[in-house]
Amino acid sequence: MPKDQPDLNLSPKVSDEIRKTTCYMCACRCGINVHMKEGKVAYIEGNRDHPVNQGVLCAKGSAGIMQHNAPSRLRAPLKRVGPRGSGEFEEISWDEALDMATGLLKPIREEAPEKLAFFTGRDQSQSFTGFWAQAYGTPNFAAHGGFCSVNMAAAGIYTMGGAFWEFGQPDWDLTKMVMIFGVAEDHDSNPIKMGIGRAKAKGAKIVSVNPIRTGYNAVADEWVGITPGTDGLYVLSLIHCLMKAGRIDLDYLARFTNASVLLNEDPKSDQFGLALRDDNGQPQVMDRNTGKLAPWNGQGVEPDLAGTLRDKGVTHRPVFHHMAEKYLSDDYAPEAVEERTGIPAAQIRKMAAELARVAFDEEITLDRQWTDFRGKKHDKMVGRPVSFHAMRGISAHSNGFQTCRALHVLQIVLGTVETPGGMRFKPPYPKPATAHPKPHGKVTPGAPLDGPHLGYVHGPEDLLLDENDQPKRIDKAYSWENPMSAHGLMHMVISNAHAGTPYKIDTLFMYMANMSWNSSMNTGGVIKMLTDTNEDGSYVIPNIIYSDAYSSEMVAYADLILPDTTYLERHDCISLLDRPICEADAVADAIRWPVVEPDRDVRGFQSVLCDLGARLGMAGFVNDDGSQKYQDYADYITNHIRRPGVGPLAGFRLGDDGLQGGRGEVNESQIDNYIANGGFWIEHVPEDCAYYKPFNTAYQDWAVKMGFYDAVQPYIFQLYVEPLRKFQLAAEGVGTRQPPEHLRARIKETMDPLPTWYAPFEDAHVSPEEYPVHALTQRPMAMYHSWGTQNAWLRQIHGHNPLYIPTKIWEANGFEEGDWAKVSSAHGEIVVPVAHQASLNPNTVWTWNAIGKRKGAWALDEDAPEATKGFLLNHLIHELLPPKGDGLRWANSDPVTGQAAWFDLRVKIEKSAVPNEAQPAMPPIKSPVGKGPDKLAWKVGK
């Protein structure tokens, strides 16, 4: 080597210490190694021992260091001193902030707890925030699921006891064909990327159904560029083809679903359309062994799909007959649906044939013995290696609930749920609707609510209505407008509070919910609602308390700001009481812990709630002597008991022989045990429990031992969902609780107990000829929430967002690179930059969500590209549908669950002159944290 070569350090010291915790840059909840130098964060990498990501880390996770050091971080509690929306605040102490909050919340609780509306965003601590709201006594609590995922979750729970997203996954290692529907790139991205990689490496075929071909869809072997809002029609056509060809799993349907349950077909009966039941209330099937009626769960019973019962001149048929009658109709033939879906009939038939070929001709078996709940012993586990996965793309439509149910039924008729190679639940799921609580809404001044806010209704008797049949909740969840709204309707809270319907509120209390910008439909309208005043100058929504870690758009519209920490400065509990983090072969939960202490006067929001709960004297937050029960959130995580032996964390609990997982007593060193184990706990599902979980006696026993539920409760999949039929019966005039006249027809049409399809509601409220183009948003893999686009590293990937235009529309308008377009809906218009994308449904345009920023927010420069070339489609969407001459304004939501129908939007497009910046251009808001530097840089260590 020449002597003048520099002496390079090829093994520099990376860090003084590694602290292992859980990422918070999306809902993946991956394990991370936080490298420390001299007490500061040096960089972040994936934890190879973690069960979720096994060391894989995406751009978001790696950029967590920039999130932790973001200039937009709030520094201290803030009290508004200027008008709402001005951004004018003064810093105050925590004592003053908590005194102010207590002063607002205490009189409400003592007089009318419903006057508090407490709603949270993507906080990942909903079992705790719900517990707090229940103790306070308000019926008005929910999180962001009502505008994000409730169609998927509720459809899955009601149909089969679980869903996709965080609750289930394809059997990546054994599957031979995967169909993904409406899967964007932000949620669960590392496990999906890893799964697709493993599946493709083993020769599995990946099929994507999505109007947009990016991300996972771009690496699929086949792309189905469907017309938005027609996924359900496409799926039901596949079911039509499979049933017509006889390529369905009859044995699976008979044993493990209610396809064999007999329905009451006497039109004169008030039980018309409901299951025939015995004296114990058990649904009845015909037993092939005896030819007689038997309960569905009877020992030794062999349910008969073909058996009928003739009684008093009426023939009662099983669900399967009704399915055949409905889905063999020519209405679902490929030729009948190809125009609406945009998928040629031949392509639909080919897809159905391929699903059947893989499912039945490539059957796999595992030599594992298991026993089902009827006592039948099986010497093998039979797998149909076709699997499905779906997300927001099919959920965020006004027909999303029934579309999600249709996809579940497609899986089930193929016999691919909870079988080798199919779709698998992640423990503690599956849990059917009957294993979940019902919603509660009884308000008692000065006392807790009578039970959990959210849950699953089983008929009109479970609706939250007052003595005048008016909604008990401010968002109108669990009312006739949205009967099965299992996650609430966060997107309707501000609108309803402003309108005073069903009643006025006093205080809006929100956490990490950017409702004055990208998390609201009708953004400009919501801003006006938040700032609107009465004749006397007081605000229509009197008080707003908000907590966030960053200077988001919503901060400017609050009266009191409670500054949160970053995720590296806090305790968090990723609990089985919320949603699982692990894959299907194991159960796991995790923590976050303060790997660094805050350098600002901020506190973790959950710890603040512990303090507020004590100040308000709330049950569960004070001891018998009135002293504060939980000093902070870490104390709560360790010592709270939800049910005997069950707390927020399932790992490292105390048992007779030391530490154990699942049920157990409080362990004061539990968090330390998690830290020593890398921030997580995991226990693998026993091999004989790995499949057929709802029907498998071994799994049921293990689930009780682990504390997932308290008693063995096997169940069968509900292809025909009786609660939906009960609502139909009410709309037909049966029962004492009746819907209002204007909703009867809608309930009968949309609440079909067998999955159905109807056109998205916006199609009937606007002219498809005037607004012929579908417009969608999608989250990029490098972003998750609006906080991602303030991140110095991630901004370099997505600094602004064009509107992507398919070739047909691009050429028809004569667009060229660098052009802008005016995009109009029935509600408003925007002017934005456009870009050409050939891999799109020909009548669909789209853009990345939450890139556009309000000037003055997030400590960004007012001329930042996110604020000048970035934009939101939200300006084109309204929480209410346009009037159609019937005197009503219908909600822009799914009529069953109330999920926001973000993706029903129709627009028209025309070429525009190039403006100085994207329109509408709202005036800047003053930043309480000032502006960040031009370059974000710092030195860690020597």
Side-chain angles (χ1 to χ4, degrees), residues 434-481:
T434 50
H436 290 261
K438 294 181 179 181
H440 294 75
K442 183 180 178 182
V443 174
T444 304
L449 201 67
D450 59 331
H453 300 81
L454 305 176
Y456 291 82
V457 301
H458 298 284
E461 67 277 7
D462 296 328
L463 294 179
L464 297 184
L465 301 172
D466 65 17
E467 62 276 5
N468 298 314
D469 277 344
Q470 294 303 302
K472 288 185 176 182
R473 290 176 52 109
I474 190 65
D475 58 358
K476 300 185 181 180
Y478 305 109
S479 70
W480 287 111
E481 292 186 32

Side-chain angles (χ1 to χ4, degrees), residues 33 137 215 235 245 253 380 417 467 476 488 504 546 580 615 620 660 740 845:
N33 296 337
V235 168
L253 289 170
K380 294 180 179 179
V417 179
E467 62 276 5
K476 300 185 181 180
K504 293 281 188 181
Y546 184 56
R615 289 168 180 254
Q660 64 186 35
V845 298

Side-chain angles (χ1 to χ4, degrees), residues 383-612:
R384 312 232 174 268
V386 172
S387 56
F388 298 84
H389 197 67
M391 285 173 52
R392 190 184 298 110
I394 67 169
S395 184
H397 291 282
S398 53
N399 57 18
F401 176 77
Q402 291 287 15
T403 292
C404 293
R405 286 194 60 230
L407 184 54
H408 297 322
V409 170
L410 172 60
Q411 300 185 92
I412 291 168
V413 299
L414 286 167
T416 67
V417 179
E418 268 302 311
T419 60
M423 181 265 186
R424 306 175 68 193
F425 296 120
K426 300 180 181 182
Y429 286 83
K431 292 181 182 179
T434 50
H436 290 261
K438 294 181 179 181
H440 294 75
K442 183 180 178 182
V443 174
T444 304
L449 201 67
D450 59 331
H453 300 81
L454 305 176
Y456 291 82
V457 301
H458 298 284
E461 67 277 7
D462 296 328
L463 294 179
L464 297 184
L465 301 172
D466 65 17
E467 62 276 5
N468 298 314
D469 277 344
Q470 294 303 302
K472 288 185 176 182
R473 290 176 52 109
I474 190 65
D475 58 358
K476 300 185 181 180
Y478 305 109
S479 70
W480 287 111
E481 292 186 32
N482 320 105
M484 302 169 90
S485 41
H487 289 176
L489 285 80
M490 189 169 174
H491 58 291
M492 294 303 299
V493 171
I494 293 172
S495 177
N496 290 351
H498 178 264
T501 176
Y503 46 78
K504 293 281 188 181
I505 66 167
D506 180 277
T507 297
L508 177 64
F509 188 6
M510 287 191 157
Y511 173 48
M512 226 173 69
N514 202 12
M515 302 305 291
S516 70
W517 198 243
N518 61 285
S519 289
S520 277
M521 298 171 159
N522 183 24
T523 300
V526 168
I527 288 173
K528 291 178 182 177
M529 295 175 200
L530 293 171
T531 55
D532 196 14
T533 57
N534 299 303
E535 290 184 0
D536 64 0
S538 62
Y539 286 109
V540 173
I541 300 175
N543 301 294
I544 300 176
I545 306 173
Y546 184 56
S547 179
D548 204 322
Y550 305 101
S551 181
S552 68
E553 286 86 355
M554 185 63 198
V555 166
Y557 297 93
D559 307 312
L560 174 64
I561 301 296
L562 306 175
D564 193 20
T565 65
T566 72
Y567 72 99
L568 295 179
E569 301 167 326
R570 62 183 301 122
H571 280 100
D572 263 329
C573 173
I574 300 95
S575 173
L576 297 181
L577 299 178
D578 280 322
R579 46 192 168 172
I581 67 164
C582 200
E583 303 302 277
D585 279 321
V587 58
D589 59 15
I591 65 163
R592 297 185 187 94
W593 59 285
V595 299
V596 290
E597 293 296 326
D599 59 358
R600 308 162 319 286
D601 192 15
V602 298
R603 298 181 184 178
F605 178 67
Q606 290 77 11
S607 292
V608 170
L609 287 183
C610 290
D611 192 326
L612 279 176

